[in-house]
Amino acid sequence: MELRSACRVFLFPIQMLYHVVRASLSALLPSRKKDLTKEVVLITGGGRGIGRHLGKEFAKQGAKKIILWGRTEKCLKETAEEITLSGTECHYFVCDVANREEVYKQAKVVREKVGDVTVLVNNAAVVHGKSLMDSDDDALLKSQHINTLGQFWTTKAFLPRMLELQHGHVVCINSILSQSPIPGAIDYCTSKASSLAFMESLTLGLLDCPGVSCTTVLPFHTNTEMFQGMRVRFPQLFPPLKPEVVAERTVDAVRTDKAFLYLPWTMHALVFLKSFMPQVALEEIHKFSGSYTCMNTFKGRT
């Protein structure tokens, strides 16, 4: 073994320890937050739910311009007006991220009318809320096209310019269900697992691209109309997240360049347990917590 290679092998565990200690200290100590006053933020699914609160939170924390994309003009218009009244320039465009040609067309319109997007928030998502055998084929395809492939098209549309400017941020609102799937949401869980893999690959692929970062947010069940009717067994122990809290923590993660954010932090324990516990034990956890049957009462928006 060459001397240089031997030194690298020797230094590797020391480097790992350094990064672990540094990350631990960063979690405990206040982090320096980057300024948003020059950022142009585009949020998909921005008319309602978490997307609506994300637009308001980015505006609150000083973003220069907010751009909302979505499929329902009424919701987009209402949210845009609310953000504009708060004093932040806001634009909205009707765009279905599942439609690749429409994404590229509207991205060009955005650049011409508003300017370069520097923060892209991939938030648009749908859930069918049925088992595989009860699911309509077109509904299953819709989930994959919006929740997963939509990210491909929006990121391809806006990332090249970020790389040219050496300035940008790609954000994904994912879900803890990407790592801990439940019955009755097979379309959503599958699409979010694919979305997580997309972001993990993209995050690593941008390591040598100065000025461009990624943030993936993995929240627990959030109290929006999208998952209306979903019930866990112990809501006092596992209360649904408020969408405004998810938005606030997401913007904070962007400002501190946090790559992956689990909400709440206890979701780390769930991922850790899954890494070594036998399947039968995990099944008992699902049954005890009520996640095994939580979609039985689902009546949310698809």
Side-chain angles (χ1 to χ4, degrees), residues 38-42 64-65 67 107 110-119 158 161-162 164-165 167:
K38 296 182 179 179
E39 307 297 343
V40 178
V41 183
L42 187 148
K64 182 180 179 181
K65 299 177 183 179
I67 303 165
V110 166
R111 282 190 290 269
E112 292 173 350
K113 291 188 175 182
V114 185
D116 292 318
V117 170
T118 57
V119 179
F158 295 109
R161 184 56 177 161
M162 294 181 188
E164 287 180 20
L165 296 172
H167 179 81

Side-chain angles (χ1 to χ4, degrees), residues 108-180:
K108 184 178 179 181
V109 173
V110 166
R111 282 190 290 269
E112 292 173 350
K113 291 188 175 182
V114 185
D116 292 318
V117 170
T118 57
V119 179
L120 169 64
V121 184
N122 284 312
N123 167 71
V126 295
V127 57
H128 189 44
K130 294 184 179 180
S131 68
L132 176 63
M133 301 313 296
D134 291 334
S135 297
D136 176 76
D137 289 357
D138 290 336
L140 291 175
L141 284 171
K142 178 181 176 181
S143 298
Q144 309 313 310
H145 283 299
I146 293 177
N147 301 3
T148 304
L149 289 175
Q151 285 188 101
F152 282 75
W153 315 142
T154 57
T155 305
K156 286 193 71 177
F158 295 109
L159 181 59
R161 184 56 177 161
M162 294 181 188
L163 295 173
E164 287 180 20
L165 296 172
Q166 294 190 349
H167 179 81
H169 208 116
V170 179
V171 184
C172 169
I173 306 301
N174 200 275
S175 169
I176 195 61
L177 296 183
S178 65
Q179 295 189 301
S180 182

Side-chain angles (χ1 to χ4, degrees), residues 10 15 23 46 61 105 111 136 143 190 230 259 264 287 295 297:
F10 175 75
Q15 289 176 316
Q61 298 204 28
K105 177 183 177 181
R111 282 190 290 269
D136 176 76
S143 298
T190 302
M230 179 181 175
K287 291 177 181 179
M295 292 296 286
T297 52

Side-chain angles (χ1 to χ4, degrees), residues 220 232-240 264 266-267 288-289:
F220 179 61
V232 294
R233 188 177 181 185
F234 303 108
Q236 292 79 16
L237 291 177
F238 308 104
T266 50
M267 292 299 103
F288 177 77
S289 65

Side-chain angles (χ1 to χ4, degrees), residues 202-246:
L202 183 67
T203 301
L204 288 173
L206 293 175
L207 285 178
D208 295 325
C209 301
V212 182
S213 307
C214 291
T215 293
T216 304
V217 183
L218 298 102
F220 179 61
H221 167 45
T222 305
N223 190 18
T224 65
E225 62 178 1
M226 182 174 170
F227 273 96
Q228 185 179 358
M230 179 181 175
R231 296 285 184 270
V232 294
R233 188 177 181 185
F234 303 108
Q236 292 79 16
L237 291 177
F238 308 104
L241 294 167
K242 295 179 179 179
E244 54 267 36
V245 172
V246 175

